[in-house]
Amino acid sequence: MGANLADTSLITNSSLVNDSLRAHPPTGAWLVRVRRRGYQRMLVIHTQFNLYYFWEKRWFFVAMALGAFMLTLPLPEGLSREGMIVLAMSVVATVLFVTEPVPLPTVALLIVVGQILLLGIDSTKVAKSLMTDSVLFIMGSLMLAVAIVKQKLDKRLAWLIVRVTGTKTANICFGISVVSGIMASFVGEHTVAAMMLPVGITLISLTSSDTKQVRGLAAVLLFSICYGCSVAGIGTPSGGARNAIMIGYWKEFFFDPTNPETQRFLVDYLTWMTYAYPMFLLQLPLVTLVLLFTFKPEYRDLTRPVARLRAQVRKDGPMKPGHWVTILFFTLILIAWIFFSVDIGMGTVAILGASAFLIAGLVKWEDLNSGVNWGVVLLYAAAISLGVQMKETGAALWVAESFLKLLAPLGMDHGLGLWVSVSALTTGVTNTMSNGAAVAVLGPIVLKLAVVAEESPIIIGFITAVSSAFAYLTVVGTPACTIVYASGYLKTTDFLNVGWRMVLVSVVVMLLAASIYWPLLGA
C-alpha cells in the first residue's frame, strides 16, 4: 500500500513537471531536457540545503567568527599569544553558553579540543585538568541528590518547610531561601544546593507533570535554592574558599607582629561573620522579591500540591530504617566535609558518600546513571579547565590590570567609584571562572590598589570577596547554579534574565554596608 502511494506521488510530481514545461513550449528538444534537469536539480538542492538549519545555528557561526577575528588581532602589550587564545576561547564559550545554539556539553567538548589544538597542551594533561576535586564534588553531589529522591526524604523535608511557611508560593520560596541560606552559610553552597534540589523538584512535579505549565513556578523555586545558597556563601569563612583566600591575603600583606596596629588584619571566624552575616540576612527577602518580580509563577498558592505532598508523606508511613540510615550517612558526610575536606578534598567525601549509598543498597547504579546529568558534569569540568588556563597564561591578570588602568582617567580610582569598579571587575571575572580563582587572581591587585589609593584594604578586600559571590549570570558561575540547571527546568537565558537584577540588588546592599556599616566596625 505504501509503495503504491509513493508511486502515485511520483507520477503526480512528474505530471506537474511536464505540465509546467508544456505551459512554455520550448523552441527545441534540447531546451526541454535542460529545463527538466534544472528543475530536478532544484528539487534535490531544496531537500538537502536547509536554510533553517543555518539560521538556527547562526550564533554558533557568529561565535566562531568572533573567536577567529580575535586571533587575527595584534597582541596587546603584556599579553602572550597563549593568553590571547584563551581569551578568544572564553569569549566564544561565553557566547555559546548564553545563546545555546548547540547543546551545552558540546561547548565543553570544544573547550577540550581547543586546549589541545590551539594551545598545544598534551591531551593527557588536559584530561587531568578536567577531573579536579571540584568536579568530583559536583558529580558526587548529584549522586547524593538522586539518593535522597530514592529514599523520598525530599518529600519529608519539603513537608517540614511547608508546615512552617504555609501554602502561599511566595512564602514557600522565602522559606526555601532561608533554609538553603542558613545551611549554606556554614556548610557551603555546593552541598546545600545538592540537598535542596530534590525538595524543589518535588513541589514542582506535584503541581504539574507538564513542564510548560510550571515554567514560572519552577524558576522561582529553583532559583530560591541556588541564589539563597549564593548570597549565604559570604556569611562565614567556611561558606566558600574565596573567604579563606582573602583572609590569608590580609595576613600576608598587612600583618606585622611587631606592630599592634596591624592586628586588625587578622580576621577570624567571628569577625568575618560580624562584617558579612548581616548582609546575607538582608539579601534573603530581596532574593524572593526579585524572583517574583522577574518570573510570574502560574500558581500563587500551592494548596493542591501541598495536599498531595501531605497525602504521600502519610501514605509512606513512619520513618523506615533506610531513612534513618540515609540521615546517618548524610550527617557523617557533612561532618567529613566540615572537618576533613581540607585534607582529602570535598569531592573525595562526596564520592565516598555516594559509594556508601550503593554499598548499603539504598540506591542502585541504574538510578544514578539515569538520574545524574552527566553532560552538566562535563560542562563544569571543561569550564574549570579553561579557568585554570586563564590563570596560567596570565590572561585573567592582564584583563584585571587593563581594567584598572582605565579607572584613573575616569576619576574612579578612589572612593565610591573605586568600590563600584572593583565590584564590577570581580563580578565579571567570577561569572567566567570559579569564585575562589577570581579572588586568588584579583586579590593581590585590588589590595595593592587600595594602598595606592589610600583606601581601607579591609573594605576593598571585603568588596572583592563579597562580589565574587555575584555569579548569578551564567550556568557555570557557581556549582549551585550548575546543580539547579541540571534539573532540566531552567534555560541559560533564565540566568541572564534574573541575574542582572540580582547583581544590582546585591551591589547596592554591599555598597551600603561598605559606606555605613563596615566603618562602624573599624574597617
Side-chain angles (χ1 to χ4, degrees):
M1 182 67 179
N4 293 337
L5 290 175
D7 294 341
T8 304
S9 178
L10 290 174
I11 293 172
T12 302
N13 290 335
S14 299
S15 301
L16 291 174
V17 173
N18 291 332
D19 292 342
S20 65
L21 293 176
R22 290 173 181 173
H24 304 281
T27 56
W30 66 272
L31 190 55
V32 174
R33 290 193 295 271
V34 169
R35 286 183 176 179
R36 183 180 293 114
R37 290 174 182 173
Y39 184 78
Q40 292 173 346
R41 289 176 180 173
M42 184 182 70
L43 291 177
V44 172
I45 293 174
H46 179 72
T47 57
Q48 296 182 354
F49 189 78
N50 191 350
L51 291 177
Y52 177 74
Y53 168 82
F54 290 93
W55 174 253
E56 188 180 37
K57 305 294 184 183
R58 64 191 184 280
W59 282 109
F60 174 80
F61 298 108
V62 169
M64 291 301 167
L66 181 59
F69 173 74
M70 290 182 64
L71 294 179
T72 61
L73 296 175
L75 289 178
E77 183 180 356
L79 182 63
S80 65
R81 180 63 180 173
E82 291 76 12
M84 175 61 83
I85 293 174
V86 172
L87 283 181
M89 291 175 60
S90 300
V91 171
V92 171
T94 301
V95 173
L96 295 179
F97 284 150
V98 174
T99 58
E100 205 172 349
V102 295
L104 291 186
T106 307
V107 184
L109 297 176
L110 292 176
I111 290 174
V112 173
V113 174
Q115 291 186 62
I116 298 172
L117 298 182
L118 299 180
L119 292 174
I121 303 175
D122 183 75
S123 58
T124 302
K125 184 177 180 181
V126 174
K128 290 180 179 179
S129 70
L130 295 175
M131 196 50 67
T132 62
D133 182 72
S134 297
V135 177
L136 286 177
F137 178 80
I138 291 294
M139 184 167 60
S141 297
L142 293 175
M143 290 180 178
L144 294 174
V146 174
I148 295 179
V149 175
K150 188 67 178 178
Q151 295 301 316
K152 299 181 180 180
L153 282 175
D154 54 313
K155 295 179 182 178
R156 296 183 184 273
L157 181 56
W159 173 238
L160 180 62
I161 294 175
V162 169
R163 289 183 65 181
V164 176
T165 62
T167 60
K168 288 186 177 181
T169 302
N171 294 344
I172 293 176
C173 291
F174 180 66
I176 289 176
S177 294
V178 170
V179 173
S180 301
I182 292 177
M183 290 194 298
S185 64
F186 295 99
V187 178
E189 58 185 88
H190 320 67
T191 309
V192 177
M195 292 175 59
M196 293 295 294
L197 177 60
V199 174
I201 293 178
T202 297
L203 292 172
I204 296 168
S205 59
L206 287 176
T207 303
S208 176
S209 58
D210 187 353
T211 57
K212 295 182 180 179
Q213 294 183 1
V214 287
R215 274 279 299 143
L217 177 65
V220 295
L221 289 177
L222 296 180
F223 277 117
S224 294
I225 295 172
C226 70
Y227 285 170
C229 292
S230 295
V231 299
I234 66 174
T236 69
S238 61
R242 58 185 178 269
N243 305 338
I245 291 173
M246 184 54 67
I247 290 175
Y249 280 151
W250 279 324
K251 180 179 179 180
E252 180 180 350
F253 283 28
F254 302 108
F255 175 65
D256 183 0
T258 63
N259 186 358
E261 294 183 359
T262 63
Q263 190 74 23
R264 65 192 183 98
F265 293 108
L266 291 179
V267 178
D268 57 19
Y269 201 97
L270 184 60
T271 301
W272 183 284
M273 286 188 63
T274 305
Y275 275 86
Y277 217 82
M279 279 185 54
F280 148 61
L281 296 176
L282 181 59
Q283 287 188 87
L284 278 177
L286 298 178
V287 168
T288 302
L289 291 176
V290 170
L291 292 178
L292 293 176
F293 178 80
T294 306
F295 304 102
K296 305 301 180 184
E298 295 80 2
Y299 301 86
R300 295 183 178 274
D301 191 279
L302 300 182
T303 301
R304 287 188 177 182
V306 167
R308 297 191 188 108
L309 176 64
R310 181 176 63 248
Q312 290 186 7
V313 171
R314 289 180 176 177
K315 183 179 179 181
D316 291 338
M319 296 278 284
K320 299 178 176 62
H323 296 154
W324 292 112
V325 175
T326 300
I327 293 174
L328 174 62
F329 280 175
F330 259 102
T331 303
L332 294 175
I333 291 169
L334 290 176
I335 293 174
W337 266 326
I338 296 171
F339 295 104
F340 303 108
S341 60
V342 176
D343 299 321
I344 64 176
M346 295 182 65
T348 305
V349 175
I351 295 298
L352 182 60
S355 301
F357 277 99
L358 288 168
I359 294 171
L362 296 174
V363 66
K364 296 180 180 179
W365 175 252
E366 290 76 13
D367 300 321
L368 298 182
N369 190 38
S370 60
V372 174
N373 191 331
W374 300 104
V376 170
V377 176
L378 176 62
L379 174 64
Y380 193 74
I384 291 178
S385 180
L386 184 60
V388 170
Q389 293 305 320
M390 284 191 67
K391 183 177 180 181
E392 290 186 353
T393 60
L397 181 61
W398 178 86
V399 171
E401 291 178 341
S402 300
F403 182 81
L404 294 175
K405 289 179 182 178
L406 299 175
L407 299 181
L410 299 175
M412 301 180 68
D413 55 346
H414 62 279
L416 182 63
L418 178 62
W419 297 353
V420 173
S421 301
V422 169
S423 177
L425 173 62
T426 308
T427 301
V429 173
T430 196
N431 276 278
T432 59
M433 60 169 35
S434 69
N435 45 39
V439 173
V441 172
L442 297 178
I445 300 173
V446 297
L447 291 179
K448 292 178 181 177
L449 179 66
V451 174
V452 174
E454 297 182 352
E455 293 284 339
S456 169
I458 295 291
I459 290 181
I460 294 296
F462 267 113
I463 287 176
T464 304
V466 170
S467 297
S468 70
F470 301 164
Y472 308 128
L473 300 172
T474 60
V475 173
V476 296
T478 64
C481 293
T482 307
I483 288 171
V484 299
Y485 176 77
S487 65
Y489 285 96
L490 301 176
K491 299 179 181 179
T492 55
T493 52
D494 292 333
F495 288 83
L496 277 178
N497 190 24
V498 68
W500 70 268
R501 294 180 172 91
M502 278 298 304
V503 169
L504 289 180
V505 170
S506 297
V507 168
V508 170
V509 172
M510 181 189 65
L511 293 178
L512 288 175
S515 58
I516 300 174
Y517 177 59
W518 292 343
L520 296 178
L521 301 176

